[in-house]
Amino acid sequence: MLFKLYIFLLFSTGALAAISCLLFNKKKNELLRKSVVIWFIIRLLGDIISYILKVKLNLNLYPVFHFSILIEGMLMINYFQSMKRMYTKRSYYLYLIPIIAFIIDVLFLGSFIESPRLGYFFYYLLCSGLFFILLKSSIKIDQFNFIIIKVLFVYHSVLFCYSLFENIIRKDTVLMPLIYPFFLLFVISLNLFFSYFLWSRRKLKIH
């Protein structure tokens, strides 16, 4: 029952956040970067495909995780570059980090049918570091994107800490029921916040 409730909340809030991004972006508002819009869509598609593979088809869902983390990492790097206005040749080396983590995960640490632990670790660590740099940067960032950066920084930082102990938590029959619900609620809260934030700003833009 709780699992079905979580799935419903995850899909409904994820869809709401993605739709909010698309509608806000439809107004040709340059404030919301396309990389953030696509990021929400990729997360939603990843959740839906994972659910179908695991629950409906009883297949391995880890290949979806591998590619999802790779794409999400590249999108967040793109968002960082657009905010930092940094498009030098050296800056493009950042894209090698998720690619290398992807290759090592698949070829050396496991395979497509195992969890991308290294990919998660570097994804959350990289994003936390990039958003921290933006928050402390002397470059002027508009208030709209500054709020988005703060939220994404908190989101990735918390999940980075969670990823460090995820393997232990999943194996502990006492910790798992206590901690995992908070993790799920945290992800849902991100979707709800972005939906409310974008809808409220969209109204201000119209009126």
Side-chain angles (χ1 to χ4, degrees):
M1 183 63 184
L2 286 176
F3 174 74
K4 291 182 178 180
L5 177 61
Y6 164 67
I7 292 299
F8 171 75
L9 291 174
L10 180 67
F11 287 173
S12 59
T13 59
L16 184 62
I19 292 171
S20 299
C21 288
L22 288 171
L23 290 177
F24 190 92
N25 204 48
K26 190 178 180 181
K27 293 295 179 180
K28 297 182 179 179
N29 193 323
E30 297 297 328
L31 287 175
L32 184 61
R33 298 298 193 271
K34 290 182 179 179
S35 53
V36 176
V37 178
I38 299 173
W39 183 74
F40 272 102
I41 295 174
I42 291 296
R43 290 174 68 247
L44 176 62
L45 290 176
D47 290 336
I48 293 174
I49 295 173
S50 298
Y51 175 79
I52 294 174
L53 289 176
K54 182 68 176 179
V55 179
K56 300 299 182 180
L57 302 178
N58 196 29
L59 297 175
N60 191 288
L61 50 77
Y62 287 131
V64 178
F65 292 174
H66 280 281
F67 285 105
S68 178
I69 286 297
L70 175 63
I71 297 171
E72 288 177 35
M74 291 185 171
L75 289 170
M76 291 294 95
I77 292 172
N78 181 268
Y79 180 59
F80 168 79
Q81 288 182 321
S82 67
M83 290 290 98
K84 192 75 173 175
R85 300 174 183 85
M86 183 180 69
Y87 293 100
T88 62
K89 287 185 178 180
R90 183 177 298 179
S91 70
Y92 285 100
Y93 289 142
L94 287 172
Y95 289 99
L96 291 176
I97 298 176
I99 294 174
I100 292 173
F102 174 84
I103 294 173
I104 293 176
D105 254 333
V106 173
L107 298 181
F108 300 102
L109 296 183
S111 65
F112 273 125
I113 61 174
E114 296 182 12
S115 178
R117 295 176 185 173
L118 188 68
Y120 278 125
F121 175 83
F122 277 107
Y123 168 66
Y124 293 130
L125 177 62
L126 175 65
C127 291
S128 300
L130 294 180
F131 293 132
F132 180 79
I133 291 173
L134 289 177
L135 291 174
K136 296 298 181 181
S137 175
S138 58
I139 296 176
K140 187 177 181 180
I141 299 175
D142 58 272
Q143 186 183 19
F144 177 86
N145 277 288
F146 192 77
I147 293 174
I148 290 179
I149 292 168
K150 284 199 294 185
V151 173
L152 290 177
F153 169 72
V154 172
Y155 172 78
H156 287 94
S157 297
V158 171
L159 290 192
F160 170 70
C161 296
Y162 174 81
S163 69
L164 294 176
F165 305 100
E166 182 180 11
N167 193 40
I168 299 174
I169 294 172
R170 286 184 177 275
K171 292 180 180 179
D172 195 308
T173 56
V174 177
L175 285 176
M176 183 67 173
L178 294 175
I179 297 179
Y180 201 65
F182 288 101
F183 162 74
L184 301 180
L185 288 173
F186 183 70
V187 176
I188 292 172
S189 298
L190 173 79
N191 295 334
L192 290 175
F193 170 82
F194 262 92
S195 301
Y196 170 77
F197 176 68
L198 293 177
W199 276 102
S200 61
R201 291 303 176 107
R202 188 168 177 265
K203 283 186 175 182
L204 288 175
K205 181 70 178 176
I206 294 172
H207 298 293

